């Protein structure tokens, strides 16, 4: 009987030691797992810190692309305060404020190229014509934004004869609609354009003594095609008047 009790006691102690070993292994695995997670988080934080604050990924070059009228070097200089800044900390709002000073920029987009380049893609405003001022001429786009002022009339742009309201006038909107509809070859022949309202647009052509009664800005694409065809026939005919106000019965009359 005593031998049986001692044997049972030994089996119990053996089972207890095995249970302790299993618990210890489980705790050790769990501790190793937590240490691994903490190590991964630490490495990740270190990599983020390097990416954000390290001079290795600091801005070293600014490139301006897409400009034709604007001076890319001037634009680069305007945003040059960003040089030396880590790429992740570049101040987009500051760039927006600096580029916002240039009325010739319609829109832009930025592109970061590691390890240290910022590319700014510019979309410029397109001049549509000039408006006379007491000091000379303002070059404007289709929205009426003044792109630059010039004491002398620039070549290749028609004069928009606007009322006192300027680009806010309905006549201005009509003139822009007509000019946008003209093919490049016809647009290049326009010396000036006038409209008091949307329905009385007229144009004068360069150096020929010829003018165009356009009428309403409505149906401008069709009128532009008709005018191009009439110009092919009568451009050398001398002073006269093209009337495309009624596209179905457009004519050219000699003075």
């Amino acid at each position: 009987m005593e031998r049986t009790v001692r044997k049972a006691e030994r089996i119990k102690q053996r089972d207890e030691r095995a249970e302790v070993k299993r618990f210890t292994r489980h705790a050790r695995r769990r501790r190793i797992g937590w240490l691994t997670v903490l190590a991964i988080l630490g490495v990740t934080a270190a990599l983020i810190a390097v990416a954000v604050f390290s001079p290795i990924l600091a801005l070293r070059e600014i490139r301006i692309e897409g400009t034709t009228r604007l001076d890319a070097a001037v634009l680069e200089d305007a945003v040059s305060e960003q040089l030396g800044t880590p790429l992740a900390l570049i101040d987009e709002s500051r760039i927006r404020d600096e580029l916002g000073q240039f009325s010739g920029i319609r829109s832009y987009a930025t592109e970061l190229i590691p390890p240290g380049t910022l590319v700014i893609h510019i979309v410029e405003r397109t001049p549509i014509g000039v408006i006379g001022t007491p000091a000379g001429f303002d070059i404007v786009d289709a929205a009426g934004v003044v792109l630059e002022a010039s004491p002398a009339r620039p070549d290749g742009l028609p004069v928009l004869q606007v009322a006192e309201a300027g680009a806010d006038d309905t006549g201005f909107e009509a003139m822009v609609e007509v000019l946008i509809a003209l093919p490049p070859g016809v647009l290049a022949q326009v010396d000036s354009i006038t409209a008091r309202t949307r329905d009385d647009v007229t144009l004068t052509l360069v150096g020929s003594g010829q003018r165009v009664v356009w009428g309403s800005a409505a149906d401008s694409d069709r009128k532009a095609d008709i005018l191009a065809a009439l110009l092919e026939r009568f451009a050398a005919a001398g002073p006269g008047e093209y009337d495309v106000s009624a596209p179905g019965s457009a004519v050219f009359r000699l003075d």
Side-chain angles (χ1 to χ4, degrees), residues 72-87:
V74 173
L75 298 182
E76 288 177 17
D77 185 65
V79 296
S80 62
E81 290 184 2
Q82 301 290 327
L83 290 171
T85 303
L87 296 187

Side-chain angles (χ1 to χ4, degrees), residues 70-235:
L70 295 171
D71 188 334
V74 173
L75 298 182
E76 288 177 17
D77 185 65
V79 296
S80 62
E81 290 184 2
Q82 301 290 327
L83 290 171
T85 303
L87 296 187
L89 298 180
I90 289 176
D91 191 341
E92 292 282 354
S93 63
R94 186 63 179 271
I95 292 175
R96 182 173 60 251
D97 291 342
E98 296 294 349
L99 295 181
Q101 301 177 41
F102 297 89
S103 61
I105 297 177
R106 190 177 75 186
S107 63
Y108 72 91
T110 58
E111 177 187 6
L112 291 174
I113 303 178
T117 300
L118 170 65
V119 181
I120 302 178
H121 302 276
I122 301 293
V123 178
E124 294 182 326
R125 293 183 180 274
T126 303
I128 193 72
V130 298
I131 296 176
T133 69
F137 295 87
D138 285 342
I139 302 174
V140 298
D141 75 344
V145 175
V146 177
L147 307 183
E148 64 179 279
S150 173
R153 178 180 172 179
D155 294 332
L157 292 172
V159 175
L160 282 71
Q161 306 283 0
V162 298
E164 292 184 2
D168 295 327
D169 186 76
T170 56
F172 177 84
E173 296 177 1
M175 287 186 280
V176 167
E177 189 172 341
V178 171
L179 292 175
I180 289 175
L182 294 176
V186 176
L187 180 60
Q189 300 181 55
V190 178
D191 182 65
S192 65
I193 182 169
T194 306
R196 293 188 301 275
T197 69
R198 179 175 173 77
D199 298 320
D200 66 346
V201 181
T202 60
L203 304 89
T204 60
L205 304 181
V206 176
S208 63
Q210 296 181 342
R211 59 196 176 276
V212 181
V213 177
W214 195 274
S216 172
D219 208 12
S220 283
D221 289 338
R222 184 184 177 198
K223 292 178 180 179
D225 291 339
I226 293 171
L227 177 60
L230 289 173
L231 283 169
E232 288 185 1
R233 293 183 58 190
F234 300 109

